[in-house]
Amino acid sequence: MHLLLFTSLVFAGSLAAGLLGALTGLGGGVVLVPLLTLCFHVDIRYAIGASLVSVIATSSGAAAAYVREGFSSVRIGMFLEIATTIGAVFGAFLASRVPIHALAIVFGVVLLYSAWLSWQQTRHPATPQSTANPWSDRLRMSGSYPDGSGGRCAYTVDRVPAGFATMFGAGTLSGLLGIGSGAVKVLAMDRVMRIPFKVSTTTSNFMIGVTAAASAGIYLQRGYIDPGLAFPVMLGVLGGSLLGARYLVRARVSLLRNIFTLVILALGVEMIVNGWMGRS
Amino acid sequence: MTVKNTNSAAHVAHPTPQPGAHFDDRRMETIMGRLLQAGVLLASAVVLIGGGLYLKAHAGTPVNYRTFSVEAANLRYPTRLLASLKTGDPAAIVQLGILLLIATPVARVVFAVIGFAIERDRLYVAVSLIVLAVLTFSLLH
């Protein structure tokens, strides 16, 4: 395939991945690596490098819109970024030591897990009210968010060590696979630390960029980030996600989410099978 | 509402209003959001220019990303990137854009250090500095 055609196709695929990622809230990175490796036969290391770059772009590009809503907490984010950045550095080191077939299998498992989380989220139960935890105030992480009728709703955080550990895991996955691992970050805040869902998702978006930047430097020096591949991927995913954010309210999200979940499920199975057979 | 009251009470306590007198977490996050947006716009513009030139230079060449080969060292290290930029290498321009993109979240953490310092929150100045240290380690390792 010649460069012009290849670049155009990769750009179109990335645009679609970014659009679907934004519409469903699952992020574009998680389908991008399977798309590049399975459809375009790109080596998984180049795919991971390009994906990571696009993750930084979408996270930072959406930041201003998220701030306007007033849900994100800069303190919770910054504190947990200690765990995610250290995890990301660890993951990036692991990435060069793990055989690429194993990398494909791990990626497949993460895809299956994302599909399961996505399926669950449609039946998301209300976050249980957290009990008073002394660490919440001690670490100045208690806060409040707009309740939609002019007032503010106060919240505290719970189970800080468990949340911190889960965040380390999220960072490791991000550095290992070049994804934002937003789903695991939201899980750590929403389910483990019992932070309100909206606060968790918006704060997670901020953390994704910083986490990805921590492994990007290592990827760059290892030569995982190829300019010829990274540029259509970055611009495509960014364009798609900004477009998706704009039409978020109008789209039929539940149907889209179901389709996207099935796509992720299928890609996950294929990644595992290919990795297992040594074809990735 | 109670949050606002305690904040303004704290500011009244300062004898002379500082430039950052109305600086709080909300304000910090708003500035961070703009900072990130500006960084992404700048990086995207550079990548777009570099990418366009790259396509123009290599449009007809066949691509092969099937096998991994570590690319030229001068694209992998920021110091050597400068030399390639001087010759107008399109791949180097794209790589510069990507470096700008990576620098964007790092700039956000640097700003957090400053922001928490203005708020006189020593705990979070320390927290932000730890994050910055990890980022610096990974970029310079």
Side-chain angles (χ1 to χ4, degrees), chain A residues 81-93:
Chain A
E81 273 161 23
I82 296 177
T84 60
T85 49
I86 294 173
V89 170
F90 176 63
F93 277 120

Side-chain angles (χ1 to χ4, degrees), chain A residues 111-136:
Chain A
L111 282 171
L112 295 187
Y113 180 67
S114 303
W116 183 74
L117 271 186
S118 164
W119 180 78
Q120 272 228 318
Q121 219 162 61
T122 48
R123 298 151 191 81
H124 188 266
T127 311
Q129 194 59 45
S130 62
T131 47
N133 185 318
W135 283 101
S136 180

Side-chain angles (χ1 to χ4, degrees), chain B residues 35 38 41 43 57 60 91 93 98 109 114 116 122-123 126 137:
Chain B
L35 189 75
L41 274 178
I93 299 175
I98 290 169
V109 178
I114 300 167
F116 286 124
R122 279 194 200 158
L123 175 66
F137 167 80

Side-chain angles (χ1 to χ4, degrees), chain A residues 1-4 6-7 41-43 45-46 53 56-57 60-61 63-64 67-76 78-79 81-82 85-86 89 93 138-141 144 152 206-207 209-210 213-218 220-231 234-235 238, chain B residues 1 3 25-26 28-30 32-34 36-37 40 43-44 47-48 51-52 54-55 58-63 65-71 75-77 91 94-95 98-99 101-102 104-106 108-109 112 116 119 121-124 127-128 130-131 134-135 137-141:
Chain A
M1 212 187 296
H2 290 291
L3 186 78
L4 191 61
F6 178 82
T7 306
H41 304 291
V42 171
D43 184 284
R45 285 162 287 193
Y46 286 136
V53 169
I56 303 178
S60 304
V67 169
R68 227 170 285 134
E69 293 179 58
F71 286 96
S72 56
S73 160
V74 66
R75 278 157 206 273
I76 295 176
M78 195 56 71
F79 181 77
E81 273 161 23
I82 296 177
T85 49
I86 294 173
V89 170
F93 277 120
R138 217 169 287 166
L139 291 168
R140 296 177 203 143
M141 290 201 280
S144 62
R152 292 190 76 85
F206 272 104
M207 300 177 60
V210 175
S215 37
I218 298 169
L220 204 64
Q221 285 156 23
R222 293 257 161 80
Y224 283 25
I225 299 175
D226 184 274
L229 182 67
F231 98 82
M234 172 193 156
L235 295 176
L238 181 63
Chain B
M1 271 204 282
V3 177
D25 283 9
R26 277 294 290 149
M28 194 194 312
E29 284 190 74
T30 309
M32 278 175 174
R34 297 228 179 94
L36 291 174
Q37 211 171 28
V40 168
S44 305
V47 167
L48 189 65
Y54 186 84
L55 275 183
H58 304 278
T61 41
V63 284
Y65 289 111
R66 204 181 276 262
T67 47
F68 182 77
S69 60
V70 173
E71 51 170 308
L75 288 183
R76 291 191 285 130
Y77 299 100
V94 174
Q95 214 70 330
I98 290 169
L99 271 182
L101 185 71
I102 296 172
T104 302
V106 181
R108 174 183 164 256
V109 178
F116 286 124
E119 286 190 27
D121 187 335
R122 279 194 200 158
L123 175 66
Y124 275 85
V127 165
S128 310
I130 296 172
V131 175
V134 178
L135 287 172
F137 167 80
S138 82
L139 289 170
L140 301 181
H141 183 75

Side-chain angles (χ1 to χ4, degrees), chain A residues 10-225:
Chain A
V10 168
F11 179 78
S14 306
L15 197 75
L19 190 68
L20 278 173
L23 286 176
T24 55
L26 289 169
V30 85
V31 286
L32 199 67
V33 174
L35 179 82
L36 290 175
T37 54
L38 299 175
C39 302
F40 292 99
H41 304 291
V42 171
D43 184 284
I44 194 166
R45 285 162 287 193
Y46 286 136
I48 286 174
S51 167
L52 193 78
V53 169
S54 76
V55 162
I56 303 178
T58 46
S59 155
S60 304
Y66 278 117
V67 169
R68 227 170 285 134
E69 293 179 58
F71 286 96
S72 56
S73 160
V74 66
R75 278 157 206 273
I76 295 176
M78 195 56 71
F79 181 77
L80 294 174
E81 273 161 23
I82 296 177
T84 60
T85 49
I86 294 173
V89 170
F90 176 63
F93 277 120
L94 269 187
S96 59
R97 280 161 184 73
V98 173
I100 62 166
H101 303 312
L103 221 50
I105 294 171
V106 174
F107 206 108
V109 172
V110 170
L111 282 171
L112 295 187
Y113 180 67
S114 303
W116 183 74
L117 271 186
S118 164
W119 180 78
Q120 272 228 318
Q121 219 162 61
T122 48
R123 298 151 191 81
H124 188 266
T127 311
Q129 194 59 45
S130 62
T131 47
N133 185 318
W135 283 101
S136 180
D137 286 334
R138 217 169 287 166
L139 291 168
R140 296 177 203 143
M141 290 201 280
S142 306
S144 62
Y145 62 89
D147 63 1
S149 52
R152 292 190 76 85
C153 197
Y155 63 85
T156 58
V157 305
D158 200 7
R159 296 193 283 191
V160 177
F164 201 79
T166 315
M167 280 297 176
F168 177 82
T172 307
L173 277 182
S174 173
L176 183 67
L177 305 175
I179 56 175
S181 72
V184 186
K185 290 190 176 86
V186 172
L187 181 92
M189 286 190 269
D190 174 52
R191 298 286 170 86
V192 179
M193 300 175 76
R194 299 195 175 116
I195 298 166
F197 190 63
K198 269 300 258 186
V199 178
S200 302
T201 49
T202 49
T203 304
S204 149
N205 176 71
F206 272 104
M207 300 177 60
I208 286 171
V210 175
T211 310
S215 37
I218 298 169
Y219 279 22
L220 204 64
Q221 285 156 23
R222 293 257 161 80
Y224 283 25
I225 299 175

